Amino acid sequence: MAATAESVVAALKAAEKTVATAESCTGGLLGKLLTDVAGSSTVYPGGVISYSCAVKHRYLGVDQRDLDTLGPVSKPVARQMAEGVRAGMKADFGIGITGLAGPDSDDSGRPVGLVYVALAGEGWTICEELHLTGDRTAIRQAACERALTLLADAL
């Protein structure tokens, strides 16, 4: 069962941990879900909506070579987004989400619904490749739900 923002905020509070987010295809939805929970400011210092490669590189420290060769929708980029936002926000955990929510694919030919969700903690990072279905809203929601579940599992 997918974790909810409410359960994740409660678990973060209980563990006295924090999480920061770096979002691309979800456009800040994960941050919104977290901040919809009263009292989340104690566990969520903030996030970065990194829609462009320039923002991914400049503010999250994503390697420009990876952006140029692999593209912004890739496992290494998602991992670096999570690690970069964690370090930049000085949070215990960082979440990175990048993918194609549609309705159209990008120039790379990757399919709509391809999403990478990464979670970084101290000394470790995990990343999952998701193949989601539905419209733009459904893909974005499912990506956020998976991110919350990864974090809940880590806690």
Side-chain angles (χ1 to χ4, degrees), residues 91-148:
D92 296 297
F93 297 99
I95 294 174
I97 304 174
T98 185
L100 296 165
D104 301 316
S105 184
D106 63 5
D107 294 338
S108 70
R110 291 179 180 94
V112 169
L114 175 62
V115 177
Y116 294 93
V117 177
L119 175 67
E122 186 173 349
W124 58 269
T125 305
I126 59 173
C127 185
E128 290 187 356
E129 179 178 307
L130 308 176
H131 297 272
L132 304 171
T133 59
D135 64 11
R136 184 175 179 80
T137 300
I139 290 169
R140 294 173 70 207
Q141 184 68 37
C144 290
E145 288 172 3
R146 187 61 196 143
L148 289 169

Side-chain angles (χ1 to χ4, degrees), residues 43-106:
V43 297
Y44 181 66
V48 175
I49 300 172
S50 57
Y51 225 51
S52 74
C53 288
V55 170
K56 288 175 180 67
H57 174 68
R58 186 177 305 123
Y59 296 101
L60 299 172
V62 175
D63 188 303
Q64 188 64 50
R65 288 171 300 201
D66 287 341
L67 291 166
D68 292 342
T69 59
L70 303 172
V73 180
S74 65
K75 189 175 275 194
V77 169
R79 292 174 61 92
Q80 291 172 60
M81 288 171 64
E83 292 162 357
V85 79
R86 178 184 177 274
M89 300 273 181
K90 297 183 179 8
D92 296 297
F93 297 99
I95 294 174
I97 304 174
T98 185
L100 296 165
D104 301 316
S105 184
D106 63 5

